[in-house]
């Protein structure tokens, strides 16, 4: 009898695995169809391209060429880009732009947790919607579960805001869908011209997970004006249609149409969307290309370090060929498994010459890569399997020396509040710690 139950259990598991494998493929076909339908938008985006030979640095050339070849999208030049590290300043600026909006506000977040300054954003959105601004809000079902149980859902709907609960898990289809797939993007698009994106969720850092003893979350967000909004608008419309089945028509603002002349010192940016329905392995290939393009220096900041085998080798080889490689991680992590699984990679990295810093000031949640003090990658991706292979993510590739200088200052502040791991001392860590590292390493493909 036990054998029969065991066989039935195995059959159910196998059927479930087959179902979850098929589901993303279906979404992929749907999303690819949507992407190809937006020919007008794609044609407009590509009409704003710049001369690669004159405007692209040597270190960025391979990466942007890869993006252009695979995505069919040219890199774009933008007028203004500002980087924020203070959550209160970010929220104040977001609220200011929401109040100044004249036509549309589109928002995607993994986590929106009510309380504190997050409620200020909610109130600003409600006021804008009541003034006639078309507001759309897409939040991940799991990450924003507290929001969907709060009073804000009905209050926003009553004001005219359209809300979508992305990737909702239902008991009826738990065996037919991947429950580990998440909408991990963080995007605010205002009037199809102003863009916010980065690592910060829409939460109050004074309140978010403060009972965990991790301290405040440390994030990076960027605000950009210019042609990048065209690409972000395309991505949002695809995500919205994928979740709702309703076609999202985007109008290109006149000021974007006029933005065709190259100004002095333009900022070159490429947008990379990833996840089911988008280009397979794109973020993995982008990271590998960036690392192999480095000649002098690589600095990576990530809260979760569970790299693929190829990424691990690329980082180690970079250090071995003389590139200065620095990885900055949080000292404490909100995930027990990720914390210990990350440590399983330290020995190989340290032996290759990689410098690993553990930030002691709060939970370092920033996701960034800086190559040769010139090329920057900023976005929502973590250096783990989930971000690289599965989740819906957004990444910016920024080829601009001035932006890189600002990012370098931020990373140096992280290092100033961090402890460098010394290889000789690492060898002396307790035996029980090695056991936990080796055990959690077995789950690296699930993290």
């Amino acid at each position: 009898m036990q054998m029969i139950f065991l066989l039935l259990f195995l059959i159910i598991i196998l059927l479930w695995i087959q179902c979850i494998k098929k589901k993303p493929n279906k979404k992929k076909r749907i999303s690819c169809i949507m992407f190809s339908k937006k020919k007008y938008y794609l044609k407009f985006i590509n009409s704003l391209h710049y001369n690669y030979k004159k405007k692209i640095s040597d270190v960025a050339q391979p990466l942007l060429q890869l993006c252009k070849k695979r995505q069919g999208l040219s890199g774009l030049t933008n007028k203004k880009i500002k980087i924020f590290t203070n959550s209160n300043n970010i929220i104040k600026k977001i609220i200011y732009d929401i109040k100044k909006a004249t036509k549309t506000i589109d928002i995607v977040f993994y986590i929106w947790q009510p309380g504190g300054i997050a409620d200020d954003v909610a109130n600003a959105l409600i006021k804008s919607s009541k003034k006639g601004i078309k507001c759309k809000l897409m939040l991940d079902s799991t990450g924003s579960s507290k929001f969907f149980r709060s009073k804000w859902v009905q209050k926003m709907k009553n004001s005219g805001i359209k809300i979508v609960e992305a990737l909702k898990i239902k008991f009826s289809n738990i065996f037919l869908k991947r429950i580990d797939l998440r909408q991990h993007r963080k995007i605010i698009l205002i009037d199809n011209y102003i863009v916010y994106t980065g690592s910060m969720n829409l939460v109050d850092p004074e309140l978010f997970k403060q009972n965990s003893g991790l301290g405040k979350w440390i994030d990076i967000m960027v605000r950009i004006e210019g042609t990048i909004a065209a690409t972000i608008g395309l991505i949002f419309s695809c995500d919205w249609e994928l979740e709702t089945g309703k076609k999202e028509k985007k109008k290109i603002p006149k000021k974007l149409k006029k933005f065709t002349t190259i100004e002095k010192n333009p900022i070159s940016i490429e947008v990379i969307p990833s996840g089911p329905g988008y280009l397979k392995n794109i973020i993995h290939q982008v990271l590998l290309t960036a690392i192999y393009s480095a000649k002098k220096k690589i600095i990576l900041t990530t809260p979760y370090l569970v790299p693929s085998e190829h990424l691990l080798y690329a980082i180690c080889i970079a250090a071995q060929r003389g590139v200065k490689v620095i990885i900055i991680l949080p000292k404490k992590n909100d995930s027990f498994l990720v914390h210990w699984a990350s440590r399983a990679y330290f020995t190989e990295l340290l032996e290759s010459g990689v410098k690993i810093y553990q930030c002691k000031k709060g939970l370092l949640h920033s996701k960034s890569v800086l190559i040769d003090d010139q090329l920057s990658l900023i976005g929502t991706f973590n250096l783990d399997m989930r971000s690289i292979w599965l989740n819906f993510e957004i990444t910016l590739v920024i080829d601009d020396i001035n932006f890189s200088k600002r990012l370098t200052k931020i990373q140096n502040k992280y290092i100033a509040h961090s402890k460098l791991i010394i290889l000789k001392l690492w060898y002396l860590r307790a035996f029980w710690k090695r056991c936990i590292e080796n055990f959690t390493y077995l789950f690296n493909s699930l993290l």
Side-chain angles (χ1 to χ4, degrees), residues 102-106 128-129 131-136 160-162 189 251:
T102 58
K103 293 182 180 179
T104 61
I105 301 171
D106 300 322
S128 293
S129 182
K131 288 191 299 183
I133 309 299
K134 294 181 180 179
C135 300
K136 292 185 175 70
I161 298 173
K162 294 182 179 179
L189 177 61
K251 291 184 179 180

Side-chain angles (χ1 to χ4, degrees), residues 305 312 316 320 341-354 356 421-429 434 437-438:
L305 180 67
L312 177 65
C316 291
Q320 290 167 1
S342 296
R343 292 165 60 97
Y345 297 92
F346 285 6
T347 300
E348 189 169 354
L349 289 166
L350 292 169
E351 288 177 345
S352 297
V354 177
I356 301 176
I421 298 178
I422 307 300
L423 181 58
K424 290 182 180 179
L425 296 177
W426 179 252
Y427 284 145
L428 299 176
R429 69 194 186 282
R434 296 170 186 250
E437 291 162 9
N438 292 332

Side-chain angles (χ1 to χ4, degrees), residues 27 34 138 164-168 183 238-246 392:
K27 283 198 171 187
M34 291 190 299
M138 180 186 296
V164 168
E165 187 173 357
L167 301 171
K168 188 174 182 179
Q183 173 55 268
C238 287
D239 285 356
W240 188 268
E241 189 171 339
L242 186 60
E243 284 294 336
T244 65
K246 298 178 181 179
F392 290 93

Side-chain angles (χ1 to χ4, degrees), residues 190-245:
I190 298 174
D191 289 338
N192 293 320
Y193 187 75
I194 298 172
V195 172
Y196 287 87
T197 190
S199 65
M200 191 188 82
N201 290 295
L202 220 160
V203 301
D204 189 326
E206 299 286 346
L207 305 174
F208 186 61
K209 293 190 176 182
Q210 288 306 295
N211 294 330
S212 61
L214 299 172
K216 293 182 182 179
W217 288 44
I218 303 169
D219 285 291
I220 285 177
M221 288 290 279
V222 293
R223 180 189 184 275
I224 309 172
E225 294 180 18
T227 56
I228 184 181
T231 309
I232 296 294
L234 176 60
I235 295 164
F236 179 84
S237 63
C238 287
D239 285 356
W240 188 268
E241 189 171 339
L242 186 60
E243 284 294 336
T244 65

Side-chain angles (χ1 to χ4, degrees), residues 24 27-28 31-32 181-183 185 239 242 272-283 386-394:
K27 283 198 171 187
K28 180 177 180 179
S31 193
C32 285
L181 173 62
R182 306 284 20 117
Q183 173 55 268
R185 306 198 217 276
D239 285 356
L242 186 60
I272 306 169
S274 55
Y278 293 84
L279 294 173
K280 187 178 181 181
N281 304 337
I282 182 64
I283 189 62
R386 188 175 299 279
S387 280
I388 293 169
W389 301 110
L390 190 61
N391 287 342
F392 290 93
E393 307 281 0
I394 190 81

Side-chain angles (χ1 to χ4, degrees), residues 110 112 140-150 165:
Y110 174 58
W112 184 321
D140 183 80
S141 178
T142 300
S144 300
S145 58
K146 289 186 178 180
F147 174 88
F148 286 111
R149 295 196 302 267
S150 73
E165 187 173 357

Side-chain angles (χ1 to χ4, degrees), residues 301-305 328-330 333 338 342 363-367 382:
T301 65
T302 180
Y304 312 124
L305 180 67
I328 312 171
L329 303 166
N333 204 293
V338 170
S342 296
L363 194 152
L364 182 66
H365 193 244
S366 301
K367 303 104 170 24
N382 297 307

